[in-house]
């Protein structure tokens, strides 16, 4: 038997399941990007609100391109199990907030109509950094235009992706799709729709056969959509909502509503995500499969601690950064997560510009060391070879994969020219770093060490040098 609405009552009492009615109410949230992260994060917050008796938080979930996942969820009536596991123990939960599903790539009209449905109050997005395209802007605009034409109120449209100022970027994307002569629609967007910035934080690895097997054992049922995550979660959102009463509701579920999202988002991008990218690339090149297997190596753990403490923290406005750093290192080591380094290294060309250059520029401005980031950049170049130090090939899953691998292919024969070519790319490093001679020199040095002696020896050399 498989997990579904019909089999929900057969689950063991130890598994937390939804006790609320999932069929009598229309969804109040449209979510774009129905991947693992949303289902183990925002969907569980909305599940909590539904469990409290507020029926307005059911989700109409939209997979952007993956009909296979949507079909699996549909076959299970939108139900799936989540293993929440950390040092405090393991528990299983079946959130019930996902009520309807569609695929944007093949059912665009249904998505537009969902945005324009009278019951829709919120639209949330986890479409990844590379998803903020004119196509997305047009999709949102088409739904919002139907709302405006029908005389419906505006909605809260919240990006939950790792982009600084994500609410501003999303609003600009929608406005860029709006014809300048459509002044009435533009006025309605400004007056009635809210685009809050937000920061979301929870480590949610891609589903694995191990998690499916653990779910089968815990539930006594097959679950093709089971997930694993950590106990920690954080959602910080700007106090800017189409319905201002939502602020208190979200706070009651553990969400932090604030006027200062920026200090949290920059800390997450540069500390958690920046460290993740560095470790993922190191793991890919050294053949370590998971983040936990990287942070479990003493010299990598020390590298990450120093990267955050010495090169990232001096430029953050989050005051509790030291506690945040220590919590991150503990979270990285969670043995249950099995967070694949190749999953995190996906789309590195889109992620690195957000995560590393601000800290490097901050260090340069203060005349301070940026050695950890220079070594990380050198490992990124080594990663573009597409083969690890044991000779095992891997794929670069990146929109820039072809250009990166073409560039990286020459690094053994012309290493210095290769480093200069990589560092000249403003799409990766911004407009200032490509002309900084000290930055180029240090990345060149560490790239040479990585090629000649390997990643681990280079890290150990850096730690000796920085001691």
């Amino acid at each position: 038997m498989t997990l579904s609405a019909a089999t929900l009552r057969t689950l063991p009492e130890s598994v937390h399941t939804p006790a609320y009615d999932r069929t009598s109410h229309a969804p109040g949230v449209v979510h774009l990007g129905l991947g693992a992260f949303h289902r183990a994060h925002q969907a569980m917050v909305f599940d909590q609100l539904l469990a409290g008796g507020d029926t307005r938080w059911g989700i109409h979930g939209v997979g952007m391109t993956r009909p296979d996942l949507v079909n699996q969820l549909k076959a299970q009536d939108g139900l799936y199990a989540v293993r929440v596991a950390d040092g405090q123990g393991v528990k299983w939960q079946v959130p019930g907030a996902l009520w309807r599903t569609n695929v944007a790539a093949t059912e665009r009209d249904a998505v537009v109509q969902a945005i324009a449905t009278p019951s829709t109050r919120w639209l949330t997005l986890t479409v990844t950094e590379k998803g903020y395209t004119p196509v997305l802007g047009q999709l949102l605009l088409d739904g919002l235009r139907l709302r405006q034409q029908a005389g419906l109120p505006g909605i809260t449209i919240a990006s939950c992706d790792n982009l600084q100022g994500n609410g501003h970027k999303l609003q600009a994307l929608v406005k860029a799709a709006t014809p300048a002569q459509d002044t009435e629609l533009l006025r309605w967007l400004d007056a009635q729709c809210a685009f809050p910035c937000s920061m979301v934080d929870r480590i949610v690895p891609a589903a694995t056969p191990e998690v499916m097997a653990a779910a089968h054992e815990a539930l006594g049922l097959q679950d093709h959509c089971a997930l694993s995550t950590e106990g920690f979660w954080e959602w910080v959102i700007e106090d800017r909502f189409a319905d201002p009463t939502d602020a208190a509701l979200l706070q009651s579920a553990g969400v932090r509503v604030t006027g200062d999202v920026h200090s949290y988002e920059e800390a997450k991008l540069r500390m958690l995500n920046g460290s993740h990218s560095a470790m993922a690339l190191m793991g890919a090149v050294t053949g370590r499969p998971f983040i936990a297997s990287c942070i479990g190596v003493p010299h990598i753990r020390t590298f990450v601690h120093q990267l955050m403490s010495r090169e990232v923290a001096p430029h953050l406005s989050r005051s509790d950064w030291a506690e945040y750093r220590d919590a991150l290192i503990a979270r990285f080591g969670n043995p249950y997560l099995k967070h694949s380094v190749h999953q995190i290294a996906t789309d590195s060309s889109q992620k690195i510009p957000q995560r590393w250059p601000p800290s490097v520029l901050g260090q340069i401005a203060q005349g301070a060391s940026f050695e950890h980031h220079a070594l990380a950049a050198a490992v990124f170049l080594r990663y573009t070879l597409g083969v690890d130090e044991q000779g095992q090939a891997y794929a670069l899953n990146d929109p820039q994969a072809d250009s990166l691998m073409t560039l990286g292919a020459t690094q053994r024969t012309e290493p210095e020219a290769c480093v200069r070519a990589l560092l000249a790319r403003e799409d990766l490093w911004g407009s200032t770093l490509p002309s900084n001679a000290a930055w180029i020199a240090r990345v060149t040095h560490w790239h040479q060490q990585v090629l000649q002696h390997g990643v681990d020896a280079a890290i150990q050399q850096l730690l000796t040098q920085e001691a």
Side-chain angles (χ1 to χ4, degrees):
M1 288 198 300
T2 303
L3 177 63
S4 68
T7 58
L8 198 57
R9 56 189 169 77
T10 70
L11 295 180
E13 285 187 15
S14 59
V15 180
H16 183 78
T17 58
Y20 49 83
D21 179 4
R22 303 178 64 242
T23 58
S24 301
H25 305 280
V29 179
V30 173
H31 179 80
L32 306 184
L34 201 51
F37 181 79
H38 166 73
R39 289 184 288 126
H41 192 285
Q42 298 95 39
M44 294 180 78
V45 175
F46 296 147
D47 173 74
Q48 194 176 332
L49 291 169
L50 289 162
D54 192 334
T55 60
R56 301 174 300 167
W57 298 94
I59 301 166
H60 187 141
V62 179
M64 300 308 286
T65 58
R66 286 185 56 193
D68 56 333
L69 172 63
V70 170
N71 290 338
Q72 286 176 332
L73 286 164
K74 200 170 282 189
Q76 296 185 184
D77 301 315
L79 296 170
Y80 55 93
V82 180
R83 179 179 68 185
V84 182
D86 54 24
Q88 278 65 59
V90 178
K91 62 181 180 180
W92 285 89
Q93 177 176 347
V94 177
L98 183 58
W99 293 355
R100 294 181 191 165
T101 53
N102 282 112
V103 181
T106 56
E107 302 171 300
R108 188 181 190 278
D109 287 348
V111 178
V112 170
Q113 292 295 332
I115 296 170
T117 298
S119 63
T120 298
R121 308 173 61 252
W122 271 60
L123 192 153
T124 53
L125 300 95
T126 49
V127 295
T128 76
E129 293 91 329
K130 66 181 177 183
Y132 288 76
T133 66
V135 172
L136 175 67
Q138 191 64 52
L139 176 68
L140 298 179
L141 181 66
D142 289 350
L144 293 169
R145 181 187 278 116
L146 284 185
R147 291 190 72 84
Q148 182 248 338
Q149 290 172 344
L152 292 170
I155 59 176
T156 297
I157 305 156
S159 167
C160 300
D161 282 301
N162 288 324
L163 290 166
Q164 284 195 309
N166 52 20
H168 304 311
K169 288 183 170 67
L170 190 54
Q171 184 174 25
L173 194 67
V174 172
K175 286 194 166 186
T178 311
Q181 64 271 24
D182 201 341
T183 54
E184 194 175 333
L185 178 57
L186 285 165
R187 274 199 300 271
W188 181 85
L189 287 169
D190 283 337
Q192 298 221 23
C193 291
F195 293 82
C197 293
S198 74
M199 185 282 287
V200 288
D201 187 357
R202 190 171 217 179
I203 297 172
V204 186
T208 63
E210 181 268 329
V211 174
M212 309 283 176
H216 189 206
E217 186 176 338
L219 307 179
L221 297 169
Q222 295 286 345
D223 178 2
H224 301 292
C225 306
L227 297 170
S228 180
T229 189
E230 59 181 337
F232 178 95
W233 69 273
E234 195 169 34
W235 187 0
V236 181
I237 191 164
E238 186 179 9
D239 192 358
R240 185 188 300 272
F241 305 106
D243 180 350
T245 64
D246 287 344
L249 276 172
L250 290 170
Q251 285 174 318
S252 74
V255 178
R256 189 190 300 258
V257 180
T258 176
D260 176 29
V261 175
H262 178 71
S263 64
Y264 295 92
E265 68 183 4
E266 71 176 4
K268 193 226 175 176
L269 274 167
R270 300 183 201 176
M271 291 186 84
L272 189 158
N273 300 131
S275 298
H276 249 176
S277 284
M279 276 189 289
L281 297 166
M282 290 171 176
V285 172
T286 61
R288 296 183 175 101
F290 305 117
I291 288 296
S293 40
C294 294
I295 203 74
V297 177
H299 60 262
I300 295 181
R301 185 166 61 250
T302 302
F303 173 92
V304 169
H305 189 281
Q306 291 185 181
L307 174 81
M308 291 194 279
S309 305
R310 299 181 184 183
E311 297 184 19
V312 179
H315 317 290
L316 298 178
S317 50
R318 181 167 178 164
S319 57
D320 64 344
W321 67 262
E323 293 90 337
Y324 184 56
R325 172 203 62 204
D326 294 346
L328 285 176
I329 288 176
R331 291 165 63 196
F332 293 153
N334 187 331
Y336 291 98
L337 290 184
K338 302 282 194 294
H339 208 175
S340 162
V341 295
H342 287 287
Q343 180 194 351
I344 297 163
T346 295
D347 300 335
S348 286
S349 69
Q350 311 293 298
K351 296 171 176 175
I352 285 171
Q354 302 272 337
R355 301 178 179 189
W356 294 350
S359 299
V360 178
L361 291 168
Q363 291 293 92
I364 290 170
Q366 293 183 358
S369 168
F370 47 76
E371 294 291 287
H372 295 76
H373 281 92
L375 175 52
V379 176
F380 174 48
L381 180 53
R382 168 62 182 80
Y383 168 74
T384 65
L385 278 174
V387 60
D388 69 21
E389 291 177 349
Q390 286 73 48
Q392 295 294 312
Y394 51 79
L396 265 65
N397 188 352
D398 194 292
Q400 297 289 334
D402 290 344
S403 69
L404 288 170
M405 291 188 77
T406 299
L407 185 156
T410 63
Q411 62 186 287
R412 292 200 190 277
T413 54
E414 303 174 54
E416 292 190 22
C418 196
V419 171
R420 285 196 298 273
L422 179 78
L423 298 185
R425 289 183 54 156
E426 293 191 5
D427 61 321
L428 290 170
W429 312 106
S431 58
T432 306
L433 273 182
S435 60
N436 187 280
W439 166 248
I440 295 168
R442 297 316 296 162
V443 177
T444 301
H445 166 79
W446 289 118
H447 181 245
Q448 184 180 23
Q449 298 305 308
V450 166
L451 284 185
Q452 290 182 359
H453 306 293
V455 169
D456 287 330
I459 295 170
Q460 287 165 332
Q461 182 186 332
L462 182 147
L463 298 182
T464 302
Q465 170 186 307
E466 294 274 301

